[in-house]
Amino acid sequence: MKNRLKVLRAERDWSQAELAGRLDVSRQAVNAIETGKHDPSLPLAFRIARLFDMRIEEIFDDEA
Amino acid sequence: MMKPDLDDLPEELSDGAVLLRRALIGIGGGIVLIFLVGVIAGYASVVFEHGAPRLVDALIIGAMVLTGAALAYGMWRLWPRGVDGPIGPRVRSARKIFTTAVIASVVVGLVIGIAGGSESLFSNEPVSPGVAVLAIAVWIIIGPVFTWLWYQKIDEHEADAYRDGALVAVHAYIFITPAWWIANRAGWLPAPDTILVLLGVSLLWIIVWFRQRYL
């Protein structure tokens, strides 16, 4: 699944580690989500959306 | 305009590079340190068996201790910190549990090694009941408890990698064990070695977990 996580993170000047710390997941998890190797669970997707103050569908694209 | 991605900067080590360097420093330095500790213990025991230590013996032991300390300091300085950063409470808990389990394993291994004397767990030779009770207790009580606690704390990506590895491992076990058993009955292979199968499927589990987690 495609997502805008890397762009959103870069816009805030956050490293992967910093984003991982804010989401309470490992840096590898953030990297895997950004590269599309791991689709986050619904609870994690909601945490991501809340962190960026956006809706899930504004971050993740299930049609890609 | 999009700001530069810090994680794409070339000076940052990749996960694989960090792990490789940590493995080289940890294993290489660890082996030398263990060897040095053994030499110091052996030399000291010989010295004390012959009465009060001479000044030259004390100096030699002191030099070896200093060498060990310098090596440990060098390992700490060279240890690649990689792309680590702030970590959340869950991830920190998982790391603490994992680290505690590794330290406990080393301590228990040393205790069994010392208490068992010439008995080795890494062979098919008989072991005394005391060593057997300790080893079995660690394996079927402490091991599962640590594993469960750790599994409750890891993030979903690592849990996925862990489960993928387990799935491949259990299928490998299901396919290998009966095939070996049949091959033994046909006279083509020796009797199935359960520990060899365990090591094989465990290795497979680790490889899949590592690939899913880091590559």
Side-chain angles (χ1 to χ4, degrees):
Chain A
M1 194 189 303
K2 270 192 171 180
N3 64 77
R4 298 179 57 220
L5 204 57
K6 189 169 185 176
V7 174
L8 295 170
R9 176 172 64 78
E11 282 173 356
R12 285 155 182 80
D13 206 12
W14 292 345
S15 66
Q16 285 185 338
E18 195 167 347
L19 176 57
R22 288 169 187 267
L23 293 170
D24 198 10
V25 296
S26 62
R27 200 194 63 78
Q28 288 81 15
V30 168
N31 183 58
I33 295 169
E34 284 187 356
T35 53
K37 291 176 184 167
H38 175 73
D39 290 334
S41 65
L42 207 49
L44 180 54
F46 270 111
R47 288 217 304 275
I48 294 170
R50 285 196 192 101
L51 180 66
F52 290 110
D53 198 20
M54 299 172 86
R55 288 178 298 155
I56 289 177
E57 58 267 37
E58 290 177 301
I59 302 173
F60 296 96
D61 181 4
D62 65 338
E63 291 177 4
Chain B
M1 192 179 123
M2 193 173 140
K3 292 176 183 175
D5 189 340
L6 298 178
D7 295 302
D8 288 339
L9 293 176
E11 60 266 28
E12 289 201 6
L13 294 170
S14 68
D15 282 342
V18 169
L19 282 170
L20 181 64
R21 290 191 191 191
R22 283 179 179 173
L24 288 174
I25 293 170
I27 295 171
I31 288 171
V32 175
L33 266 182
I34 290 169
F35 175 75
L36 203 57
V37 169
V39 171
I40 293 169
Y43 190 86
S45 67
V46 170
V47 166
F48 283 105
E49 275 176 12
H50 290 83
R54 296 171 302 161
L55 178 62
V56 66
D57 294 324
L59 286 173
I60 290 171
I61 292 171
M64 287 194 289
V65 169
L66 280 177
T67 305
L71 178 63
Y73 177 71
M75 287 169 66
W76 178 75
R77 285 301 302 267
L78 292 173
W79 191 261
R81 268 67 183 176
V83 285
D84 289 342
I87 51 174
R90 248 181 103 87
V91 177
R92 185 177 292 112
S93 295
R95 288 188 185 179
K96 277 183 184 170
I97 292 167
F98 185 80
T99 306
T100 306
V102 170
I103 293 169
S105 304
V106 171
V107 170
V108 170
L110 285 173
V111 168
I112 290 175
I114 293 166
S118 60
E119 294 176 13
S120 172
L121 286 178
F122 302 103
S123 75
N124 287 327
E125 298 303 312
V127 291
S128 60
V131 169
V133 165
L134 184 58
I136 291 169
V138 167
W139 197 247
I140 67 169
I141 299 173
I142 298 174
V145 168
F146 268 113
T147 305
W148 177 249
L149 291 173
W150 171 78
Y151 189 74
Q152 295 303 306
K153 292 294 181 185
I154 54 176
D155 65 52
E156 59 182 52
H157 175 243
E158 175 144 32
D160 272 358
Y162 186 73
R163 283 195 299 268
D164 286 350
L167 190 66
V168 171
V170 79
H171 278 87
Y173 177 79
I174 287 169
F175 295 133
I176 290 170
T177 313
W180 194 345
W181 177 57
I182 296 291
N184 169 247
R185 291 169 63 190
W188 299 332
L189 288 175
D193 187 326
T194 51
I195 294 299
L196 204 58
V197 175
L198 172 72
L199 290 175
V201 296
S202 299
L203 182 65
L204 205 54
W205 191 343
I206 290 169
I207 290 170
V208 174
W209 164 80
F210 185 86
R211 180 185 172 280
Q212 303 289 76
R213 175 85 170 140
Y214 294 105
L215 302 181

